[in-house]
Amino acid sequence: MSFSSIKQTVGYGDTVLLHVGYDNMLPMIVTKGMTHQTKFGALRHDSVVGKKFGTRIQCPKGWIYILHPTPELWTLSLPHRTQILYTTDISMVVFQLDLQPGSVVAEAGTGSGSLSHAILRTILPTGHLHTYEFHKERAEKAKEEFHQHGHSGCVTVTHRDVCGEGFQLDHIVDAVFLDLPKPWECVTSAKKAMKKQGGRLCSFSPCIEQVQRTCEELSAQNFSDIVTMECLARHFNIQYAKLQNLSFESSASESTADKETSNRESYSEPPVKSASATLSSSRHKEVKRGGSDSGSHNFPSAVPALNMPGHTGFLTFATLTCH
Ligand SMILES: C[S@@+](CC[C@H](N)C(=O)[O-])C[C@H]1O[C@@H](n2cnc3c(N)ncnc32)[C@H](O)[C@@H]1O
């Protein structure tokens, strides 16, 4: 199968992603006669063959969805051999490197291949990814996965230390991506790999000291537009809050001062009559969805999650012009 062309139904040898619940997805290569254990019990591979991707499958203790792989879902479910890049950073990398079908890219290190899959989807069908990894087993595993995912023809995996031995590419790439402990050590080699008309480079580093050294080296090597950024996704949860029904009648006992206070807090939508429609003091209290009693009702509101996804790393981008 190929990650880049959508298949309708599952066949033997396909990689399917089992959606077992919120934040819980597992890859499975469909193999004749095999059984996969999930938290909802055993799933026989044979039982998914011929089913449409997206189908809900009954397991002994619950339901599982069988999904078609995409780079985004693969990032969420891949077997981690290293730390990986996630979609928030990946989207910025693909955009800032100006990647498009036909682009030629050099990447080091390959790691678990999370970014590689997104690069490949973008540069297909005529582009090429040269990816480097100095850990032998990781390089071999990545090669095997690219083959399994239908990418063999557009990716070259090389087992090499790019800092010591360089990319060994001569002016053929449009963009370089570095996710290495010492990216500054391979800027010279990256520059040599880049096309004579120039291109874009990105380096991902968790620590600002690494960023600083990389920027100094990029500047020394005549890269321009050097920009470092951090991408953080801000998640909002939907919560239901209890809102007292609006009263459009002025209470005779309400003092003028009370009225002014009410008006300042007034809820001006919908603008019905001229009454002071006051919000209950319990308006931020979280209540169950759908419930309502006389005198109040529930409304959905967006609340930032208490646990925000934190720092992953800094992305440094730079441009190389004609060289
Ligand atoms: C954090 S991982 C990369 C993760 C990858 N970006 C992803 O999204 O899956 C860094 C990888 O770089 C490799 N590496 C470190 N130094 C290297 C070097 N000098 N040459 C080649 N690979 C190197 C490590 O073995 C590791 O697998």
Side-chain angles (χ1 to χ4, degrees), residues 37 194 254 261:
Q37 293 300 332
M194 290 168 89
E254 209 176 5
T261 312

Side-chain angles (χ1 to χ4, degrees), residues 268-300:
S268 59
E269 188 190 325
V272 198
K273 298 185 183 174
S274 58
S276 57
T278 58
L279 284 175
S280 145
S281 60
S282 66
R283 70 179 176 177
H284 294 305
K285 212 163 98 187
E286 196 187 335
V287 292
K288 281 204 183 100
R289 178 180 190 162
S292 104
D293 48 44
S294 61
S296 70
H297 68 277
N298 298 330
F299 72 100

Side-chain angles (χ1 to χ4, degrees), residues 220-267:
Q221 301 254 6
N222 294 326
F223 280 81
S224 58
D225 302 334
I226 302 169
V227 173
T228 298
M229 57 181 83
E230 183 181 17
C231 298
L232 296 175
R234 191 166 187 217
H235 293 250
F236 281 73
N237 295 322
I238 296 174
Q239 288 183 353
Y240 283 79
K242 193 168 194 171
L243 174 69
Q244 274 201 346
N245 284 342
L246 306 179
S247 162
F248 299 112
E249 300 299 327
S250 298
S251 156
S253 61
E254 209 176 5
S255 70
T256 312
D258 285 345
K259 277 185 197 163
E260 281 171 7
T261 312
S262 298
N263 278 328
R264 274 202 297 278
E265 291 181 349
S266 75
Y267 187 62

Side-chain angles (χ1 to χ4, degrees), residues 75 78 81-86 90 107-117 131-136 138-139 158-165 177-182 185-186 204 206:
T75 288
L78 59 78
R81 302 179 284 273
T82 61
Q83 293 202 329
I84 63 165
L85 257 71
Y86 290 92
I90 290 174
E107 175 197 33
T110 315
S112 306
S114 170
L115 173 67
S116 318
H117 279 81
T131 184
Y132 296 79
E133 172 56 59
F134 78 172
H135 187 285
K136 194 163 187 282
R138 277 181 213 152
T158 305
H159 169 227
R160 182 183 301 158
D161 171 4
V162 284
C163 293
E165 301 167 57
F177 178 83
L178 307 173
D179 184 355
L180 301 167
K182 295 179 180 178
E185 288 188 354
C186 64
F204 176 91

